[in-house]
């Protein structure tokens, strides 16, 4: 499993050796250990062993669809939709777009259980209790309010999902801790120096962007410009 | 004793077997956490100190990381890498906690890939003339100067160096922790080391350790 970088560059090797010295320094963990012992005494693990994500994520994985009859119908529909998507885009982008559009549809149809929240702060507090490695939602979304949230699985990645309300039709925000999660392609819109890329599938439009090391997508029954406008006001 | 999925792991750890045998979920979780996560406390604190430059903040960061890991210990898959998992949590906690207050971190230190230099070719070209004895020159920098340079780097670059070079994690482990491809880790590590030297060069020049180099 272990494969240290095999770098012939002597400069790189020297730099690596110097940095390794930082890792050899001793640290005093006694104070931290005391604090942890005290904190752990009042805390219990919250997750059940090897359960799937609670709520929506548990309902979302594809294998859940693979039940008799409904599973076959869903697979056929998936194949047709995927074929259409593949004929107009790259495989990776299409698969992500397909899953995202389905996610939005399921949210709108009420098929996914959502946690009602009053703010992104409250949403992030709830997300933190669900999965330790879950990506957090942006702190600031000007002009829109986070109504509810959930965690889901898209392309095998854990994503945070928020339903945003800005006085019009609700839009879905998806955040992944993975830069370049979906291909940057499609309709390109630039606002305040930020570049957004749009896709459309089955009437669902979505605008995607990379922000620092995160990837975000805003989608809904809106124009690209409106979605990009919402996305441009998001700040982590 | 009836074999269980965690039996092999805990059989290595004296002192926690009794907890494990209770079949009490909380005791099991505690035993597992103590056996697998607790020994990594020094690594977490060391990285946290580098990130925060402050012992108290570092302890808070490491504590929140450990508590988050403890609360979710049962979602950790046995047999996978605990250190990679903890480092992922540490990174998330650091981002969540300190990004909110831009004054808490060095300006630009979390700029991420958006500003990551594609390939600092100029610096590399000049490096040859400045780093003729790289080990000796790098050894002259204080740890604090190296750490300062690390903090001035884009987040994605910094974390590769923290995991691969400082914490000596494998490419595979770092890739798992940062959720990128192993190939990305390799190329990013090389660029990050070049960037680190680029950041250190003006310091070396200022101190008169090098002459006629880039960055002067």
């Amino acid at each position: 499993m272990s494969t240290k970088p095999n770098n012939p560059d002597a400069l790189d090797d020297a730099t690596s050796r110097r940095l390794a010295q930082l890792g050899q320094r001793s640290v005093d963990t006694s104070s931290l250990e005391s604090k942890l012992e005290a904190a752990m005494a009042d805390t219990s693990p919250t997750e059940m062993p090897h359960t799937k994500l609670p709520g929506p994520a548990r309902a979302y994985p594809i294998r859940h669809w693979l039940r008799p009859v409904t599973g076959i119908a869903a697979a056929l529909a998936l194949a047709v939709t995927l074929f259409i998507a593949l004929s107009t885009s790259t495989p990776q982008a299409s698969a992500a777009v397909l899953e995202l559009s389905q996610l939005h549809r399921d949210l709108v149809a009420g098929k996914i259980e959502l946690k009602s929240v009053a703010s992104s702060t409250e949403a992030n507090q709830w997300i933190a209790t669900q999965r330790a490695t879950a990506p957090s939602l942006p702190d600031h979304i000007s002009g829109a309010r986070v109504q509810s949230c959930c965690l889901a699985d898209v392309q095998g990645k854990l994503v945070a999902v928020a339903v945003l309300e800005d006085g019009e039709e609700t839009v879905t925000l998806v955040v992944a801790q993975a830069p370049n999660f979906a291909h940057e392609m499609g309709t390109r819109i630039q606002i305040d120096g930020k570049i957004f890329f749009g896709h459309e599938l089955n009437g669902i439009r979505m605008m995607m962007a990379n922000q620092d090391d995160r990837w975000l997508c805003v989608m809904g029954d809106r124009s690209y410009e409106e979605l990009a406008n919402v996305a441009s006001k998001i700040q982590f | 004793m009836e074999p269980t999925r965690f039996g092999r792991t805990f059989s290595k750890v004296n002192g926690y077997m009794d907890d494990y045998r209770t079949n009490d979920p909380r005791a099991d979780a505690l035993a597992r956490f103590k056996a697998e996560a607790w020994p990594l406390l020094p690594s977490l604190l060391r990285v946290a100190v580098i990130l925060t430059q402050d012992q108290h903040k570092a302890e808070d960061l490491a504590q929140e990381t450990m508590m988050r890991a403890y609360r979710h210990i049962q979602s950790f898959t046995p047999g996978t890498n605990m250190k990679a998992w903890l480092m992922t949590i540490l990174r998330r906690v650091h981002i969540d906690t300190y990004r909110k207050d831009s004054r808490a971190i060095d300006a630009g230190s979390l700029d991420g890939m958006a500003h990551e230099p594609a390939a600092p070719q100029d610096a590399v070209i000049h490096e040859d003339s400045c780093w003729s004895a790289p080990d000796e020159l790098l050894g002259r920098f204080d740890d604090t100067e190296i750490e300062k340079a690390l903090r001035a780097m884009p987040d994605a670059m910094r974390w590769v160096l923290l995991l691969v070079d400082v914490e000596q994690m494998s490419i595979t482990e770092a890739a798992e922790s940062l959720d990128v491809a192993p190939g990305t880790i390799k190329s990013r590590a090389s660029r990050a080391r070049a960037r680190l030297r680029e950041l250190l060069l003006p310091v070396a020049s200022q101190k008169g350790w090098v002459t006629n180099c880039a960055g002067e």
Side-chain angles (χ1 to χ4, degrees), chain A residues 1-5 7 9-29 31-37 39-51 121 124 127-136 139 157 177-179 211-214 236, chain B residues 5 26 29-30 33-34 38 41-42 45-46 50 55 59-60 62-63 66-68 70-78 85 88-89 91-92 95-96 99-100 110-111 127 131 134-135 138-139 141-143 146-147 150 155 161 164-166 168-173 176 179 190 193 196-197:
Chain A
M1 178 168 167
S2 292
T3 49
K4 284 296 293 173
N7 196 331
D9 189 332
L11 280 175
D12 259 20
D13 289 345
T15 309
S16 186
R17 281 192 293 273
R18 181 64 184 89
L19 287 168
Q21 290 173 12
L22 297 181
Q24 291 163 2
R25 293 178 303 181
S26 62
V27 288
D28 180 8
T29 60
S31 168
L32 176 59
E33 286 183 35
S34 301
K35 284 191 259 184
L36 270 173
E37 294 276 13
M40 286 168 60
D42 299 327
T43 308
S44 291
T46 54
E47 291 184 358
M48 295 302 292
H50 301 281
T51 52
T121 303
N124 282 328
I127 286 171
T129 66
Q130 302 302 302
R131 285 289 285 267
T133 56
S136 53
D139 299 320
K157 297 275 186 193
Q177 194 79 38
Q211 196 165 343
D212 298 331
D213 58 348
R214 302 187 213 200
F236 284 99
Chain B
R5 61 186 172 175
R26 190 181 182 284
L30 179 63
F33 186 77
K34 285 273 190 174
W38 204 264
L41 212 48
L45 185 56
R46 196 159 39 225
I50 293 173
Q55 183 68 24
E59 288 188 4
D60 288 345
Q63 181 179 349
M66 289 291 275
M67 288 307 297
R68 202 176 282 192
Y70 175 61
R71 285 193 293 267
H72 298 273
I73 187 64
Q74 295 189 83
S75 70
F76 174 74
T77 306
W85 189 60
T88 301
I89 299 173
R91 183 165 181 247
R92 299 277 163 82
I95 288 172
D96 292 346
R99 209 169 212 152
K100 290 173 184 171
L110 287 174
D111 281 352
E127 275 187 338
W131 298 89
D135 284 300
L138 284 163
F141 290 100
D142 293 337
D143 284 352
I146 304 281
E147 289 175 6
L150 277 172
D155 188 48
L161 295 186
V164 174
D165 287 343
V166 176
Q168 296 286 294
M169 289 169 67
S170 72
I171 294 291
T172 310
E173 291 166 339
E176 183 185 334
D179 200 17
S190 184
R193 292 181 194 118
L196 183 77
R197 294 191 296 271

Side-chain angles (χ1 to χ4, degrees), chain B residues 147-158:
Chain B
E147 289 175 6
K148 188 176 178 183
L150 277 172
R151 281 192 294 273
M153 297 175 74
D155 188 48
M157 282 186 164
R158 174 175 48 246

Side-chain angles (χ1 to χ4, degrees), chain A residues 164-187:
Chain A
L164 306 181
E165 189 271 324
D166 65 348
E168 299 180 42
E169 192 82 8
T170 57
V171 294
T172 303
L173 167 67
V174 182
V175 176
Q177 194 79 38
N180 299 310
F181 180 51
H183 277 191
E184 291 188 348
M185 53 180 298
T187 303

